[in-house]
Amino acid sequence: MSHLSTLQSSTDLLSTSTIIALTIFFSLLCACIVVGHLLEESRWANESITALLLGLGAGAVVLFLSKGNSSSILVFSENLFFLYLLPPIIFNAGFQVKKKQFFKNFTIILMFGIFGTVISFCLISFDRYLVLKLQWLTFAANTAGAFLLFKRIGVTSLNTQDYLAVGAILSATDTVCTLQVLNQDDTPFLYSVIFGEGVVNDATSIVLFNAVQSIDMDNINALISLKLLGTFLYLFFSSTFLGIAAGLLSAFIIKTLYFGRHSTDREVALMMIMAYLSYMLAELLNLSGILTVFFCGIVMSHYTWHNVTESSRTTTKHAFATMSFIAETFIFLYVGMDALDIDKWKASSASAGTFVAVSTTLFALVLVGRAAFVYPLANFNTCIRKRGSSNIEFRQQFIMWWAGLMRGAVTIALSYNQFSNSENNNTKDSALMITSTMIVVLFSTVVFGSITKPLIEAVLLRHTKPNVSDATDIPSLEELRIMFIENGEANDTGENQPAAAARRRSGLRLLLTHPTWTVHHLWRKFDDRFMRPVFGGRGFVQFVPGSPTGAADETSGT
Amino acid sequence: MSHLSTLQSSTDLLSTSTIIALTIFFSLLCACIVVGHLLEESRWANESITALLLGLGAGAVVLFLSKGNSSSILVFSENLFFLYLLPPIIFNAGFQVKKKQFFKNFTIILMFGIFGTVISFCLISFDRYLVLKLQWLTFAANTAGAFLLFKRIGVTSLNTQDYLAVGAILSATDTVCTLQVLNQDDTPFLYSVIFGEGVVNDATSIVLFNAVQSIDMDNINALISLKLLGTFLYLFFSSTFLGIAAGLLSAFIIKTLYFGRHSTDREVALMMIMAYLSYMLAELLNLSGILTVFFCGIVMSHYTWHNVTESSRTTTKHAFATMSFIAETFIFLYVGMDALDIDKWKASSASAGTFVAVSTTLFALVLVGRAAFVYPLANFNTCIRKRGSSNIEFRQQFIMWWAGLMRGAVTIALSYNQFSNSENNNTKDSALMITSTMIVVLFSTVVFGSITKPLIEAVLLRHTKPNVSDATDIPSLEELRIMFIENGEANDTGENQPAAAARRRSGLRLLLTHPTWTVHHLWRKFDDRFMRPVFGGRGFVQFVPGSPTGAADETSGT
């Protein structure tokens, strides 16, 4: 039978190592799903933590079986992460986000995202050599802090660019973790603010990271800082525009050709491919693919989703969620398995004390850095809004600070990019930085991730009074009545000039008192009159009860 | 602004070439879907041909833009094809196949698949050095033919192994093409036979191809031939068993844990991952992943699909079809773009005349080889069945011959594997073989693919009388009545010995007169009594109108 066995062992058209790796990964994914399901009732565990711990366990087993030589089955690949795993997660987040809630808090989200950057840039132009603050206050604190503290611990070989990179890497809040821990239905305000901040933040973080890698840090001046700000704004708006354009194009194609007549599969395939294409195009044009695919998801759920057949609706809603779920679980599994990569730990050749010291330092910087901008900005937000109802309570500020502390796969991917390709010759310190980042990610995900749910329950939900900030910006009944009457008149009379003028005047008054709500109202009118007849959407193709974002969404505005 | 532009151009966390390739591919996929939709009404075109021609066009544009240097954006990768594109297509085929029709024709399918192999093996033991026939009659004809004809054309550097490989490569009927051209509803008999043959054939082809690559061809004898036959049977049954086990496991897990209570996404994710895992496991164990994932699909649609929630049912049905659709389109696009790869054409450095001669020879061998086993086996099948109704008409034999002529991506992948890694030093002839295989694939897909639909209409569907073979094996009303009464008795009396004996005797009689139908009946009883209570399935979890294989399926047997 020896002949047979040689025949058998040679039947590999495919590389065996890839197959082994894939088999192990997919077995672990199955295990994650089943274990995650069994732990569903637990307040402390969630799917990320299960995946992370299972990944760690599997890594340990592989390490043991290979007798301490290697634990990594697949090495962490930035391509895999940024090209295949991240897009479905962010797209699904855009597709399933409660659009009304998201846009109602859009000012706060943008303030957290953009004003933070502006403040940092102003600081740079005043104080350009000593404390190089390129992003957020977090970033400044992280950078300066890292610089001062690391000198004491004895990590000396890193250059200015490396410190700036550490700041950029650690200021990226992980959207994937946030999605897993926060619940859109229980805490809609927090969910939309922290998740929205995370999306904007991701873009900012990547822009600044690239800037740090490419700019000569010794010649920084106010002009360059302003150019960086310009670049950021250009990136933000062009990425958003690209995402919206891709979404509208898909809506237009599906509405015009009316694929449903023939095939559900084609509709679903077209939606998937267009969404992915928008991400790829953004990356190709050096824009932020994350922002693009997020807005593409929003537009698709608003227009395209309503143009397809009933079965396509069910399919897309669940298929996108499933793909996102698989990608999330895969990422955490991946991070868990990669954490025990023995080569990196050996390469850093540092004592356990150094690891603990560096990791603690980094983690403390994350804590302080986030506190440094969440509390001031939240209070600033309270100041510029006059009505008492729009306050962000201290409790909520605390949760906003806490929930944004988790760091995830984006941090690890950026850290690899900086420290494994660094021109820095001292590979020991680079390896130390990668492993320390990994410790921060593991610790924040496992510890903070498991505490967050019970914490939110304890801090927010036990207070039985309705959460005030979740009711922000809803005008009084009286104003609503006026608005609805006007709305009805406008639809009936159309060209009636005095009525339109009165409406405009009244609109201006409302814009001053309830800016967000009025913008939303104006958008609804614009949407109904110009957008929906062209791109379809609810009611313009066929009425459906329920939308991917839940039945309660959108209806209150019409 | 030069500073800005350098900043912009350096913002590549990802390799730009991959992004460009992906962007072009996904744009082309979009174009394929839209063009395919617009050509829906056309009898001549289908999605494969559209994709192939679009791929060729895009390849030509890239070739023109790169000034004749290169047309390939992504080189054809066996890993990509066998690991990621093929599994969803075959799984979906198993998931959506009309199970009753498939198993009714199972004898014919197995005969085409296994008896052909047995005949070849017998021939080998008689005639072991002169004409090395390892698979099918096709294979023998191809091999011997190729050997004799190529000598004349002047291709002399290929060794015996290469000729045998050509035989194995070209005898793999392409299941993907078949799925696109034949319609399960119009011609269920032909669909199930040709597609089923393709699935079994794929396994046989890969087994024999590997055997050819590993066995020393100068020392072949009857013992080794028998061992090969044993290997094939082992592969066939263990692959099937693995697929069934994976399907049953998924059904059991979902039924026991009842995921639907919590999350549709988890159910869908588990089904996807288990299916993919079965393929990976099969490949890891050197079994035929194609057979495994096909049977996994069948079992999942029979049990697992009925255990999940209504929305999971809709989602899986359409999501699997969509993934399969995207993978198919991607493959044809890929083959189209790869066909113009200028390096291969240059490497072969042959004249146009040689290309035409070699391709024509190969194609003629495919035609003759298929004819050599379809007609004899179909007539043999008619002989062993006594009832007139089970005849395979000559018209159908013709379509069976015709529809199996298309060669596709499996052929190209195997051809690459043989001739790009060959130890054969003469790379000219290897390149010539790859390009000629490609010409055969392109020609058969475009020409035969576009003619098949009109041909089937002309030959089969215009004859208004009901297609006899599609009604094969349905017993008379009288026999049905007896069977149902017996069935009722058996359920009522249970332990009544004389009745059971009578039933057994009557069952034996039916087994002789209607073997397939009786096996199906016995299977239904076994299924209802032992399998469904454990693994769920229609009626055991919740009644649903409609199944992924159509409402008409399965119900006639109960």
Side-chain angles (χ1 to χ4, degrees):
Chain A
M1 290 300 280
S2 66
H3 197 276
L4 257 181
S5 62
T6 53
L7 168 69
Q8 294 265 323
S9 63
S10 71
T11 57
D12 45 352
L13 284 171
L14 310 168
S15 57
T16 320
S17 58
T18 315
I19 294 176
I20 293 176
L22 284 172
T23 309
I24 294 177
F25 259 99
F26 280 92
S27 311
L28 286 174
L29 271 179
C30 274
C32 279
I33 293 173
V34 173
V35 173
H37 169 77
L38 295 175
L39 293 176
E40 180 90 5
E41 307 303 323
S42 159
R43 286 196 306 160
W44 302 90
N46 60 37
E47 229 113 31
S48 333
I49 298 172
T50 313
L52 210 50
L53 295 179
L54 261 177
L56 275 173
V61 170
V62 173
L63 194 65
F64 179 75
L65 289 180
S66 69
K67 297 187 180 74
N69 286 319
S70 153
S71 85
S72 60
I73 296 177
L74 287 175
V75 283
F76 193 91
S77 143
E78 284 163 36
N79 260 354
L80 175 67
F81 178 73
F82 281 110
L83 287 183
Y84 307 112
L85 296 176
L86 200 55
I89 297 174
I90 305 293
F91 173 74
N92 183 57
F95 199 73
Q96 318 266 356
V97 81
K98 288 192 193 294
K99 292 183 288 291
K100 192 143 179 263
Q101 187 71 34
F102 181 80
F103 284 111
K104 208 175 75 182
N105 298 317
F106 203 57
T107 40
I108 305 177
I109 291 166
L110 279 187
M111 194 171 73
F112 270 64
I114 297 183
F115 287 174
T117 320
V118 174
I119 294 170
S120 308
F121 270 89
C122 293
L123 284 173
I124 291 166
S125 48
F126 283 116
D127 183 349
R128 69 190 223 209
Y129 285 109
L130 274 177
V131 192
L132 297 161
K133 301 172 193 99
L134 271 181
Q135 187 211 14
W136 304 82
L137 295 172
T138 323
F139 180 73
N142 286 352
T143 308
F147 190 75
L148 296 173
L149 288 168
F150 282 2
K151 291 282 185 220
R152 287 205 187 169
I153 297 168
V155 179
T156 51
S157 74
L158 301 179
N159 57 29
T160 317
Q161 203 204 31
D162 287 333
Y163 288 113
L164 289 169
V166 169
I169 289 166
L170 287 177
S171 49
T173 307
D174 190 50
T175 41
V176 181
C177 287
T178 314
L179 288 172
Q180 292 245 331
V181 168
L182 291 177
N183 188 322
Q184 188 165 215
D185 296 319
D186 292 347
T187 49
F189 171 73
L190 285 176
Y191 179 90
S192 64
V193 170
I194 296 173
F195 175 71
E197 182 211 330
V199 171
V200 178
N201 188 346
D202 259 327
T204 324
S205 182
I206 291 175
V207 170
L208 288 167
F209 181 73
N210 286 321
V212 165
Q213 284 199 320
S214 63
I215 288 179
D216 180 9
M217 278 307 147
D218 299 329
N219 288 323
I220 204 155
N221 59 31
L223 191 63
I224 291 176
S225 318
L226 276 176
K227 275 181 179 171
L228 277 179
L229 178 63
T231 310
F232 171 76
L233 290 176
Y234 159 76
L235 276 189
F236 184 85
F237 288 108
S238 50
S239 303
T240 307
F241 175 77
L242 183 64
I244 291 172
L248 288 180
L249 183 64
S250 77
F252 184 74
I253 290 177
I254 287 180
K255 180 162 184 279
T256 312
L257 297 180
Y258 197 39
F259 281 95
R261 251 179 326 177
H262 298 292
S263 157
T264 288
D265 308 336
R266 269 207 201 105
E267 291 177 341
V268 177
L270 200 72
M271 280 175 81
M272 276 188 192
I273 291 172
M274 292 284 288
Y276 193 65
L277 195 59
S278 76
Y279 183 86
M280 281 297 128
L281 262 179
E283 289 293 327
L284 191 65
L285 300 171
N286 287 317
L287 303 176
S288 162
I290 291 175
L291 264 177
T292 303
V293 83
F294 178 74
F295 278 97
C296 183
I298 289 182
V299 172
M300 277 199 179
S301 79
H302 189 68
Y303 296 111
T304 321
W305 194 77
H306 293 281
N307 297 350
V308 299
T309 58
E310 183 62 43
S311 53
S312 295
R313 277 188 208 124
T314 313
T315 306
T316 46
K317 185 175 161 185
H318 293 293
F320 293 155
T322 305
M323 284 163 69
S324 167
F325 171 73
I326 293 178
E328 280 172 24
T329 314
F330 194 89
I331 286 174
F332 285 105
L333 208 53
Y334 206 27
V335 169
M337 287 194 85
D338 203 51
L340 285 178
D341 185 358
I342 201 78
D343 294 334
K344 280 197 303 283
W345 295 92
K346 275 182 187 158
S348 66
S349 68
S351 68
T354 316
F355 281 127
V356 172
V358 174
S359 308
T360 315
T361 311
L362 289 178
F363 201 64
L365 291 173
V366 169
L367 290 175
V368 173
R370 190 165 172 87
F373 85 95
V374 165
Y375 293 111
L377 278 181
N379 288 315
F380 177 69
N381 182 58
T382 311
C383 288
I384 59 164
R385 302 200 173 205
K386 281 152 202 160
R387 292 165 64 91
S389 66
S390 70
N391 271 353
I392 300 175
E393 288 176 50
F394 182 73
R395 264 194 238 106
Q396 289 183 312
Q397 291 177 18
F398 176 72
I399 297 286
M400 281 165 76
W401 170 71
W402 181 272
L405 289 176
M406 282 168 284
R407 297 292 175 270
V410 171
T411 303
I412 290 182
L414 291 177
S415 167
Y416 266 95
N417 187 274
Q418 171 70 17
F419 293 107
S420 64
N421 311 327
S422 183
E423 316 85 61
N424 191 334
N425 291 321
N426 193 325
T427 50
K428 275 187 191 181
D429 283 350
S430 294
L432 178 65
M433 291 313 295
I434 292 179
T435 46
S436 303
T437 312
M438 206 147 248
I439 293 174
V440 171
V441 168
L442 289 180
F443 184 80
S444 66
T445 305
V446 173
V447 177
F448 282 45
S450 60
I451 296 175
T452 304
K453 256 188 204 171
L455 194 76
I456 290 176
E457 276 179 37
V459 174
L460 288 182
L461 301 178
R462 292 220 181 132
H463 298 260
T464 45
K465 62 166 184 171
N467 205 322
V468 276
S469 282
D470 282 346
T472 296
D473 260 335
I474 291 177
S476 68
L477 268 179
E478 175 72 1
E479 284 163 332
L480 265 175
R481 196 184 54 77
I482 293 169
M483 205 51 151
F484 274 125
I485 289 168
E486 282 176 359
N487 200 9
E489 278 177 4
N491 285 344
D492 292 337
T493 56
E495 308 301 315
N496 188 337
Q497 286 303 313
R503 186 158 46 84
R504 232 175 284 127
R505 242 179 293 121
S506 159
L508 196 68
R509 185 176 56 78
L510 269 171
L511 187 66
L512 292 173
T513 50
H514 307 291
T516 320
W517 192 84
T518 318
V519 167
H520 178 245
H521 174 76
L522 293 173
W523 156 248
R524 298 297 307 191
K525 285 209 284 192
F526 174 72
D527 193 25
D528 286 339
R529 195 168 295 171
F530 299 106
M531 301 295 276
R532 294 196 182 195
V534 180
F535 299 109
R538 179 191 296 228
F540 271 79
V541 174
Q542 187 194 329
F543 179 74
V544 231
S547 91
T549 57
D553 191 28
E554 286 192 16
T555 43
S556 57
T558 47
Chain B
M1 290 300 281
S2 68
H3 196 277
L4 259 182
S5 63
T6 54
L7 169 69
Q8 294 265 322
S9 64
S10 72
T11 56
D12 45 353
L13 284 172
L14 310 169
S15 58
T16 320
S17 58
T18 315
I19 294 175
I20 293 177
L22 284 173
T23 310
I24 294 178
F25 259 98
F26 280 92
S27 311
L28 286 174
L29 270 180
C30 274
C32 280
I33 294 172
V34 173
V35 173
H37 169 76
L38 295 175
L39 293 176
E40 179 91 7
E41 306 303 322
S42 160
R43 286 197 306 158
W44 302 89
N46 61 37
E47 230 115 30
S48 336
I49 298 174
T50 313
L52 210 50
L53 294 179
L54 262 175
L56 274 173
V61 169
V62 173
L63 194 65
F64 179 76
L65 290 179
S66 69
K67 297 190 181 73
N69 286 320
S70 152
S71 85
S72 60
I73 296 177
L74 287 176
V75 283
F76 192 90
S77 141
E78 285 163 35
N79 261 353
L80 175 66
F81 178 73
F82 281 109
L83 287 183
Y84 306 110
L85 296 176
L86 201 55
I89 297 175
I90 305 293
F91 173 75
N92 182 57
F95 198 72
Q96 317 266 355
V97 82
K98 287 190 192 298
K99 292 183 286 293
K100 194 146 179 257
Q101 187 72 34
F102 180 79
F103 284 110
K104 208 176 73 182
N105 299 317
F106 203 58
T107 41
I108 304 177
I109 291 165
L110 280 187
M111 195 171 70
F112 271 62
I114 297 182
F115 287 174
T117 320
V118 173
I119 293 169
S120 308
F121 270 89
C122 292
L123 283 173
I124 291 166
S125 47
F126 284 117
D127 182 352
R128 67 191 225 208
Y129 286 109
L130 273 178
V131 193
L132 297 162
K133 299 172 195 100
L134 270 181
Q135 188 211 12
W136 304 83
L137 295 172
T138 322
F139 179 74
N142 287 352
T143 308
F147 191 76
L148 295 174
L149 287 167
F150 283 1
K151 290 283 184 217
R152 286 204 187 169
I153 296 168
V155 179
T156 51
S157 74
L158 301 179
N159 57 28
T160 318
Q161 201 203 33
D162 287 333
Y163 288 114
L164 289 168
V166 169
I169 290 166
L170 287 177
S171 49
T173 306
D174 190 49
T175 42
V176 181
C177 287
T178 314
L179 288 172
Q180 292 243 330
V181 169
L182 291 177
N183 188 320
Q184 188 163 215
D185 295 318
D186 293 347
T187 50
F189 171 73
L190 285 177
Y191 178 90
S192 65
V193 170
I194 297 173
F195 174 71
E197 181 210 329
V199 171
V200 178
N201 188 346
D202 260 326
T204 324
S205 182
I206 291 174
V207 170
L208 288 168
F209 181 73
N210 287 321
V212 164
Q213 284 199 321
S214 64
I215 287 179
D216 180 9
M217 278 305 146
D218 299 329
N219 289 321
I220 203 156
N221 59 32
L223 191 65
I224 291 177
S225 318
L226 276 176
K227 275 181 181 171
L228 278 178
L229 176 64
T231 310
F232 171 76
L233 291 176
Y234 159 75
L235 276 189
F236 184 85
F237 288 107
S238 50
S239 303
T240 307
F241 175 77
L242 183 63
I244 291 172
L248 288 179
L249 183 65
S250 77
F252 184 74
I253 290 177
I254 287 179
K255 181 163 183 279
T256 311
L257 298 180
Y258 197 38
F259 280 95
R261 254 179 322 178
H262 298 292
S263 156
T264 287
D265 308 338
R266 268 205 204 108
E267 291 177 340
V268 177
L270 200 73
M271 281 175 80
M272 276 187 194
I273 291 172
M274 292 284 286
Y276 193 65
L277 195 60
S278 76
Y279 183 86
M280 283 296 128
L281 262 180
E283 290 293 327
L284 191 65
L285 300 171
N286 286 318
L287 303 176
S288 162
I290 291 176
L291 264 177
T292 302
V293 82
F294 178 74
F295 278 97
C296 183
I298 288 181
V299 172
M300 277 199 179
S301 78
H302 189 68
Y303 296 109
T304 321
W305 194 77
H306 293 281
N307 297 349
V308 299
T309 58
E310 184 61 44
S311 53
S312 296
R313 277 186 209 128
T314 313
T315 306
T316 46
K317 186 175 161 185
H318 292 293
F320 293 154
T322 305
M323 283 162 69
S324 167
F325 172 72
I326 292 178
E328 280 172 24
T329 314
F330 194 90
I331 287 175
F332 284 105
L333 208 52
Y334 206 27
V335 169
M337 287 192 86
D338 203 52
L340 285 178
D341 185 358
I342 201 78
D343 294 333
K344 280 197 303 282
W345 295 91
K346 275 181 188 159
S348 66
S349 69
S351 67
T354 316
F355 281 127
V356 172
V358 173
S359 308
T360 314
T361 310
L362 289 179
F363 200 64
L365 291 173
V366 169
L367 291 174
V368 173
R370 192 167 170 85
F373 85 93
V374 166
Y375 294 110
L377 278 181
N379 287 314
F380 177 68
N381 182 58
T382 310
C383 288
I384 59 163
R385 301 201 174 207
K386 281 153 203 162
R387 291 165 65 92
S389 67
S390 70
N391 271 352
I392 301 174
E393 288 175 48
F394 182 74
R395 263 193 239 108
Q396 290 183 311
Q397 291 179 17
F398 175 73
I399 297 287
M400 280 167 77
W401 170 71
W402 182 273
L405 289 176
M406 282 169 286
R407 296 294 175 269
V410 171
T411 303
I412 290 182
L414 291 178
S415 167
Y416 266 94
N417 188 274
Q418 171 69 16
F419 292 107
S420 64
N421 311 327
S422 182
E423 317 84 61
N424 190 335
N425 291 321
N426 192 326
T427 51
K428 276 188 191 181
D429 283 351
S430 294
L432 178 65
M433 291 314 294
I434 292 179
T435 46
S436 303
T437 312
M438 206 149 247
I439 292 175
V440 170
V441 169
L442 289 180
F443 184 80
S444 67
T445 305
V446 173
V447 176
F448 281 45
S450 59
I451 296 176
T452 304
K453 257 189 203 170
L455 195 77
I456 290 176
E457 277 180 37
V459 174
L460 289 182
L461 301 179
R462 292 220 182 130
H463 298 259
T464 45
K465 60 165 184 170
N467 206 322
V468 276
S469 282
D470 283 347
T472 295
D473 261 335
I474 291 176
S476 67
L477 270 178
E478 175 71 2
E479 285 163 333
L480 265 176
R481 196 184 54 77
I482 293 168
M483 205 55 153
F484 275 124
I485 289 168
E486 282 176 357
N487 199 11
E489 277 177 5
N491 285 344
D492 292 337
T493 57
E495 307 303 314
N496 189 336
Q497 286 304 314
R503 185 158 47 83
R504 232 175 283 127
R505 242 178 294 122
S506 160
L508 197 69
R509 185 176 55 80
L510 270 170
L511 187 65
L512 291 173
T513 50
H514 308 289
T516 320
W517 191 84
T518 317
V519 167
H520 178 245
H521 173 77
L522 292 173
W523 156 248
R524 297 297 307 190
K525 285 207 286 191
F526 174 72
D527 193 26
D528 286 339
R529 194 167 297 171
F530 300 106
M531 302 294 278
R532 294 194 182 198
V534 180
F535 299 109
R538 179 192 296 228
F540 271 80
V541 174
Q542 186 194 330
F543 179 74
V544 230
S547 91
T549 58
D553 193 26
E554 287 192 16
T555 44
S556 58
T558 47

